[in-house]
Amino acid sequence: MSSRLVHLCGRLVPESEATISIFDSAVLLGDTVTESTRTFAHRPFKLDRHIARLFKSLKVTRIDAGCDAATMLRLTLEMFEANRSLLAERDDCWIVHNISRGRSVAGPDPTVQQGPATVMIYTLPLDLRGWAEFYDRGCHAVTAMSRMVPSQALDARVKNRSRMAYTLAEIEVKLVDPQAQGVILDVEGKVAENKGGNLFAVADGCLKTPGTANCLAGISRETVLELAAELQIPARETDLLPYDLYTADELFFTSTPYCIMPATRFNGLSVGDGRVGPVTRRLLDAWSARVGLDIAGQARNQLRPTGTSEA
Ligand SMILES: Cc1ncc(COP(=O)(O)O)c(C=O)c1O
């Protein structure tokens, strides 16, 4: 079986040869910006939007990737094409970008980029099994004890790999329920986001999601807002408190791998009637229609033995 090729600093190399220095700022400082895109039926989804967000993160963090967005797109597609034959017909993949400031030099000023950035681009199989059952029964959303790093310290719109705060918050949530999905509040107690996703509540037929003052401007969040406009579902950005999630008719997370993940319990209480709601279903169906693939069906198929699939 041929091995995966990854893009490392301008070259396509076998995964086993893709090594970086232990002195890289990715390792020493968590000083890395990132993107995660997915494919649908082997076609990258909104790759240009992900790369546009990547270049905003690069600008704000003052990392020079050594190329412009158009070149980054071309290099990404070359890497993806080189690995296309490894994709099983019914599966899809991640396309991940990690770009660090490069070699970190110990001393009084770690901020200066001393040499080329470390540019890493690779594909990964998209394993949806951990989310598959939530499309039908919904997940349990639980608030973490820890709060978001405030945007006054690190703007939540910078998609970065300094993930300690998110990881600790998710560990707290898993103490309550090992299958729970975290809801992180900001320092004022407003709903911010999940460690890897955004949140939406539906109340009185209106879709509500926090503005991006305290969360990542998710591409899936953006897609849901586009679909809502097409379906004429009223939607608005607004502050949400835990009270709004307890009393919502429907609740869901959005993120690149699973797209829309319904939540039917919040901190132990049923959301609405405790079942996945009609607005959530309409949005997920519209997304599936847009990409020509049954999103939930693909995830469920991964739970089945190879060779069997949903009709
Ligand atoms: C902290 C955080 N919030 C939200 C999201 C959702 O963003 P997207 O829809 O672009 O995947 C992510 C994605 O990884 C994330 O890391």
Side-chain angles (χ1 to χ4, degrees), residues 35-36 50 53 94 156 159 163 166 193-198 215-221 254-257:
E35 274 303 321
S36 292
H50 282 277
R53 187 171 67 182
W94 294 96
K159 190 163 163 61
R163 293 276 153 163
Y166 289 118
E193 60 182 345
N194 166 262
K195 62 149 178 57
N198 292 106
C215 63
L216 185 74
I219 307 288
S220 318
R221 173 185 183 279
T254 60
S255 185
T256 289

Side-chain angles (χ1 to χ4, degrees), residues 104-111 114:
S104 178
V105 177
D109 190 353
T111 66
Q114 305 280 348

Side-chain angles (χ1 to χ4, degrees), residues 79-301:
M79 182 282 307
F80 172 65
E81 288 304 330
N83 291 290
R84 185 188 275 276
S85 62
L86 299 176
L87 260 179
E89 195 188 332
R90 70 179 194 174
D91 288 333
D92 274 297
C93 70
W94 294 96
I95 300 174
V96 179
H97 294 82
N98 286 323
I99 303 180
S100 84
R101 206 175 302 275
R103 197 177 165 86
S104 178
V105 177
D109 190 353
T111 66
V112 178
Q113 190 170 331
Q114 305 280 348
T118 305
V119 178
M120 301 161 264
I121 320 172
Y122 55 86
T123 57
L124 268 184
L126 190 61
D127 184 347
L128 298 164
R129 288 172 298 175
W131 295 292
E133 64 179 289
F134 298 139
Y135 290 106
D136 293 319
R137 72 172 173 91
C139 69
H140 184 195
V142 169
T143 46
M145 289 179 277
S146 297
R147 299 292 170 95
M148 278 289 286
V149 172
S151 277
Q152 290 89 337
L154 174 59
D155 197 299
R157 288 171 293 185
V158 176
K159 190 163 163 61
N160 69 87
R161 283 284 182 213
S162 310
R163 293 276 153 163
M164 187 64 90
Y166 289 118
T167 303
L168 296 185
E170 197 66 10
I171 288 172
E172 292 163 4
V173 162
K174 299 306 197 228
L175 294 175
V176 177
D177 171 351
Q179 278 205 305
Q181 308 294 311
V183 176
I184 309 175
L185 307 179
D186 68 15
V187 289
E188 293 176 348
K190 294 175 192 158
V191 173
E193 60 182 345
N194 166 262
K195 62 149 178 57
N198 292 106
L199 270 136
F200 282 84
V202 182
D204 303 322
C206 181
L207 208 49
K208 297 176 185 174
T209 191
T212 54
N214 64 6
C215 63
L216 185 74
I219 307 288
S220 318
R221 173 185 183 279
E222 168 192 288
T223 304
V224 163
L225 293 172
E226 287 165 10
L227 294 171
E230 282 167 29
L231 296 170
Q232 299 186 330
I233 299 168
R236 66 188 165 94
E237 293 186 353
T238 182
D239 289 346
L240 294 173
L241 291 167
Y243 176 91
D244 300 300
L245 306 196
Y246 283 121
T247 58
D249 301 318
E250 300 177 38
L251 186 62
F252 61 86
F253 296 84
T254 60
S255 185
T256 289
Y258 52 75
C259 305
I260 292 175
M261 175 171 60
T264 47
R265 275 191 305 153
F266 176 57
N267 288 342
L269 298 182
S270 288
V271 176
D273 66 3
R275 284 181 296 197
V276 178
V279 175
T280 309
R281 286 193 191 282
R282 278 180 74 202
L283 288 164
L284 191 55
D285 287 348
W287 196 329
S288 292
R290 181 157 168 186
V291 296
L293 179 134
D294 176 358
I295 293 169
Q298 181 183 48
R300 285 189 215 104
N301 275 338

